[in-house]
């Protein structure tokens, strides 16, 4: 999974920047950062290899108005929801802020003109409807539960939201100690130092 995260981010950054070294460094941080070590026991945040590609495809749509790129981006977002509900929502919010920032900075009104063209508007609408239909089998299990248990307040979830310090320090250092004892040290003894220490290097 970590290798897939690295590969997905590398491909996106490589297409975005064209620089192999910067793409490799960015992908390494994305896939093996210390933030992931602090959440190694939360499996639902590990499959995120599609997210960088989704952002790249979405940028291609915003900048070049390619409907195919939009289809890839929305389908990738749907796939991310299936990989992990939390990461799916986070990716959706990033895309939302991305389009708002794009409109503010570039003042591009071509996106709105696409909805005036009937064929293009129907195509975009079809892409959204198809992906909502793909999401329904999963969401159909969440909707009854939310109706029975209700929604959590912001105060209940605020402690679990990432902060700037989350990307530089472990929330609970005991995770790092446990990981060191049961994984890193045995692997280092076995001669696989690089693969074992990759989390700490990140």
């Amino acid at each position: 999974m970590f290798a897939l995260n690295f590969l997905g981010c590398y491909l996106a950054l490589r297409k975005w920047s064209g620089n192999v070294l910067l793409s490799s460094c960015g992908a390494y941080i994305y896939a093996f950062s210390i933030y992931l070590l602090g959440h190694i026991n939360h499996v639902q945040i590990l499959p995120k290899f599609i997210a960088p590609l989704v952002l790249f495809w979405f940028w291609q749509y915003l900048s070049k108005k390619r409907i195919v790129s939009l289809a890839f981006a929305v389908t990738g977002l749907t796939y991310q929801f299936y990989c992990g509900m939390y990461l799916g929502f986070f990716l959706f919010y990033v895309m939302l802020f991305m389009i708002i920032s794009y409109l503010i900075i570039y003042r591009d009104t071509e996106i709105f003109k696409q909805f005036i063209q009937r064929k293009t508007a129907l195509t975009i609408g079809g892409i959204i409807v198809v992906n909502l239909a793909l999401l329904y089998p999963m969401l159909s299990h969440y909707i009854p539960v939310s109706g029975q248990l209700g929604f959590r307040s912001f105060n209940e979830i605020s402690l679990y939201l990432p902060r700037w310090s989350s990307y530089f320090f472990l929330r609970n250092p005991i995770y790092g100690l446990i990981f060191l004892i049961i994984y890193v040290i045995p692997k280092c003894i076995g001669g696989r130092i690089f693969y074992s220490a990759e989390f700490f290097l990140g």
Side-chain angles (χ1 to χ4, degrees), residues 61 65 103 108-117:
Y61 166 69
K65 311 301 182 294
L103 293 174
D108 188 355
T109 59
E110 290 295 325
I111 294 179
F112 300 107
K113 293 180 181 179
Q114 287 186 331
F115 293 95
I116 300 177
Q117 304 173 2

Side-chain angles (χ1 to χ4, degrees), residues 33-191:
S33 65
I34 196 171
Y35 175 77
L36 287 177
L37 175 59
H39 296 77
I40 195 68
N41 56 335
H42 298 289
V43 182
Q44 67 270 24
I45 70 168
L46 296 182
K48 56 179 184 175
F49 53 90
I50 197 68
L53 292 171
V54 168
L55 296 179
F56 170 74
W57 291 325
F58 194 56
W59 173 255
Q60 288 290 101
Y61 166 69
L62 292 177
S63 59
K64 299 181 180 180
K65 311 301 182 294
R66 295 179 56 189
I67 302 299
V68 174
S69 297
L70 178 64
F72 280 131
V74 177
T75 306
L77 176 63
T78 300
Y79 182 78
Q80 184 62 77
F81 268 106
Y82 272 97
C83 289
M85 179 66 74
Y86 298 126
L87 293 182
F89 273 112
F90 286 147
L91 182 57
F92 173 76
Y93 294 144
V94 170
M95 294 172 69
L96 181 62
F97 289 127
M98 191 174 177
I99 189 171
I100 293 174
S101 302
Y102 178 84
L103 293 174
I104 293 175
I105 295 173
Y106 292 95
R107 303 180 185 276
D108 188 355
T109 59
E110 290 295 325
I111 294 179
F112 300 107
K113 293 180 181 179
Q114 287 186 331
F115 293 95
I116 300 177
Q117 304 173 2
R118 182 178 179 181
K119 183 178 180 181
T120 305
L122 289 175
T123 303
I124 295 175
I127 293 171
I128 295 174
V129 169
V130 168
N131 281 275
L132 287 176
L134 292 174
L135 276 175
Y136 179 76
M138 179 184 63
L139 294 179
S140 61
H141 298 285
Y142 283 86
I143 295 174
V145 174
S146 63
Q148 294 173 5
L149 303 179
F151 296 96
R152 295 182 181 272
S153 65
F154 180 79
N155 292 331
E156 291 179 294
I157 65 172
S158 60
L159 294 176
Y160 301 96
L161 297 177
R163 297 170 173 78
W164 285 111
S165 60
S166 303
Y167 298 94
F168 301 98
F169 303 99
L170 293 176
R171 180 178 299 174
N172 191 344
I174 194 64
Y175 292 153
L177 180 60
I178 294 174
F179 186 78
L180 181 68
I181 294 173
I182 67 174
Y183 184 80
V184 176
I185 294 177
K187 293 296 183 180
C188 287
I189 295 174

Side-chain angles (χ1 to χ4, degrees), residues 185-201:
I185 294 177
K187 293 296 183 180
C188 287
I189 295 174
R192 298 178 59 188
I193 297 177
F194 174 78
Y195 296 101
S196 308
E198 56 196 4
F199 283 99
F200 296 98
L201 292 175

